[in-house]
């Protein structure tokens, strides 16, 4: 599973506080709706159930961040708490109301997801890619702002270049990030899907996969095609084979040539000599 970010939301938005005790308000839960820019589409039922039990016992400890919309409020940060609160049957929820643009709303939602500990490698990769795209920043700039190494970000984002089917396997846990990184080393993209089928069928670990990919990438040695002999040489070879009763090979070079005549025993050699003398 992916690790949370090394820095908080203030690394991007020092002007937006996660907590502002003086600005906490209680609003009707039915006036809220999910963030339309939420990058995470799947919320695990077990996690929501666990959070619901915590809310029933302790209440919502950390308020949600919302912004005013035409109809009610849009959740910027805290959709899991919102879903769990609905499951718990709460009629109101504590919130901090912020004035945010669509762009900043998207950025905050992405950052909240990155700070979660249970992101899949693909969810983390998509979050990095979206942040770089929306903020128009490089991997180097992103690494400094998040407190993550540039190599970590680069390796994660590269997973998105794998075929969609493979990305789905990594996202649902059938393949690990290690498997994905190893698969990026396959030189011929057409071999990835068949190779992944082998991994799943034989339940290969990352070390086994890396070893097999080294073999897969080795180019088969091309056998040197023997130069074709012209008709004249072929006819002479055939004539000598008939007369001598053995295999004969005639090789012609640029300046000279040679004739190779096979024999098996001394008697066979004497026989060939007799034929040549006659």
């Amino acid at each position: 599973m992916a690790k949370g970010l090394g820095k908080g939301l203030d690394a991007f938005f020092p002007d937006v506080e996660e907590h502002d005790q003086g600005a906490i308000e209680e609003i009707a839960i039915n006036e809220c709706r999910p963030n339309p820019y939420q990058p995470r589409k799947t919320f695990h039922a077990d996690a929501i159930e666990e959070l619901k039990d915590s809310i029933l016992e302790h209440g919502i400890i950390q308020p949600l961040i919302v912004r005013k919309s035409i109809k009610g409020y849009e959740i910027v940060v805290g959709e899991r708490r919102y879903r769990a609160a609905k499951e718990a049957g709460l009629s109101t929820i504590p919130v901090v109301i912020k004035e945010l643009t669509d762009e900043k709303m998207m950025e905050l939602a992405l950052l909240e997801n990155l700070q979660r500990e249970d992101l899949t490698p693909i969810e983390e990769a998509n979050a990095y890619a979206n942040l770089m795209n929306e903020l128009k920043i490089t991997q180097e700039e992103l690494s400094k702002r998040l407190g993550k190494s540039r190599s970590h970000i680069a390796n994660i984002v590269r997973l998105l270049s794998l075929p969609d089917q493979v990305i789905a396997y990594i996202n649902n846990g059938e393949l690990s990030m290690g498997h994905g990184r190893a698969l990026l080393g396959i030189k011929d993209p057409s071999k990835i899907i068949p190779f992944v089928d082998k991994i799943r069928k034989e339940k290969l670990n990352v070390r086994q996969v890396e070893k097999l990919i080294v073999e897969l990438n080795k180019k088969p040695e091309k056998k040197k095609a023997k130069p074709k002999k012209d008709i004249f040489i072929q006819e002479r070879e055939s004539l000598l084979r008939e007369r001598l009763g053995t295999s004969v090979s005639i090789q012609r070079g640029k300046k000279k040539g040679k004739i190779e005549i096979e024999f098996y025993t001394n008697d066979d050699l004497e026989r060939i000599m007799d034929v040549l003398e006659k």
Side-chain angles (χ1 to χ4, degrees):
M1 293 295 180
K3 297 295 182 185
L5 289 180
K7 298 182 181 179
L9 295 176
D10 55 353
F12 274 82
F13 311 110
D15 57 320
V16 178
E17 298 176 2
E18 286 187 86
H19 252 303
D20 183 353
Q21 293 296 333
I24 296 176
E25 300 181 31
E26 287 281 336
I27 62 173
I29 196 168
N30 58 13
E31 289 187 25
C32 295
R33 66 186 182 90
N35 184 350
Y37 304 108
Q38 169 63 254
R40 188 166 200 162
K41 305 304 178 185
T42 303
F43 292 83
H44 298 295
D46 292 345
I48 297 296
E49 184 68 20
E50 185 178 337
L51 186 54
K52 181 196 80 172
D53 293 340
S54 174
I55 288 173
L56 287 172
E57 184 175 355
H58 305 291
I60 298 178
I61 298 173
Q62 184 179 18
L64 288 70
I65 296 178
V66 301
R67 75 168 180 175
K68 193 82 172 79
S69 64
I70 296 175
K71 294 182 179 180
Y73 301 88
E74 291 177 336
I75 298 167
V76 181
V77 174
E79 187 167 336
R80 280 204 313 165
R81 277 167 277 161
Y82 162 74
R83 289 170 179 258
K86 286 187 70 175
E87 291 291 326
L90 269 61
S91 58
T92 63
I93 51 175
V95 301
V96 174
I97 302 172
K98 297 288 185 182
E99 292 184 7
L100 302 169
T101 63
D102 288 351
E103 181 183 80
K104 187 155 286 189
M105 188 171 177
M106 179 187 295
E107 293 163 5
L108 280 169
L110 289 170
L111 285 168
E112 184 205 21
N113 276 278
L114 281 174
Q115 289 178 307
R116 298 268 305 282
E117 292 289 337
D118 58 350
L119 284 178
T120 70
I122 298 303
E123 287 173 332
E124 185 177 359
N126 277 319
Y128 289 147
N130 288 336
L131 278 171
M132 287 186 288
N133 182 57
E134 292 300 323
L135 300 179
K136 304 294 187 292
I137 58 176
T138 64
Q139 289 182 355
E140 184 67 31
E141 292 171 318
L142 185 64
S143 72
K144 290 177 181 177
R145 296 171 95 166
L146 301 184
K148 291 280 187 178
S149 70
R150 184 181 180 280
S151 61
H152 172 78
I153 293 174
N155 287 331
I156 286 279
V157 172
R158 283 185 66 211
L159 295 177
L160 300 178
S161 65
L162 290 167
D164 290 344
Q165 187 176 345
V166 180
I167 289 175
Y169 290 145
I170 296 174
N171 204 37
N172 65 24
E174 288 188 60
L175 297 178
S176 69
M177 177 181 169
H179 284 115
R181 289 181 62 180
L183 291 169
L184 288 167
I186 295 179
K187 294 179 180 178
D188 183 353
S190 66
K191 294 180 180 179
I192 293 178
I193 296 298
F195 191 77
V196 166
D197 292 338
K198 177 181 177 67
I199 294 173
R200 297 174 67 231
K201 183 179 179 180
E202 301 180 17
K203 301 186 184 305
L204 301 175
N205 61 37
V206 175
R207 184 68 62 84
Q208 292 170 318
V209 168
E210 289 173 341
K211 187 175 180 181
L212 288 173
I213 287 176
V214 171
E215 297 298 320
L216 187 68
N217 284 335
K218 285 183 179 178
K219 293 182 179 180
E221 294 182 5
K222 295 181 179 180
K223 294 182 179 179
K224 291 183 179 179
K226 293 182 179 179
K228 291 185 177 181
K229 296 176 180 178
D230 60 39
I231 299 297
F232 175 80
I233 296 296
Q234 291 180 32
E235 289 177 347
R236 270 39 188 186
E237 281 182 341
S238 178
L239 180 62
L240 285 172
R241 277 196 294 270
E242 290 177 6
R243 291 186 178 179
L244 300 178
T246 188
S247 178
V248 177
S249 174
I250 301 175
Q251 302 294 333
R252 172 186 282 170
K254 290 183 178 180
K255 294 182 179 180
K256 60 181 180 179
K258 63 180 179 179
I259 300 174
E260 294 181 351
I261 303 171
E262 289 186 356
F263 67 92
Y264 300 96
T265 64
N266 289 341
D267 290 341
D268 194 28
L269 177 58
E270 288 296 331
R271 179 187 65 78
I272 293 171
M273 295 296 293
D274 288 342
V275 173
L276 289 174
E277 288 176 1
K278 294 178 181 179

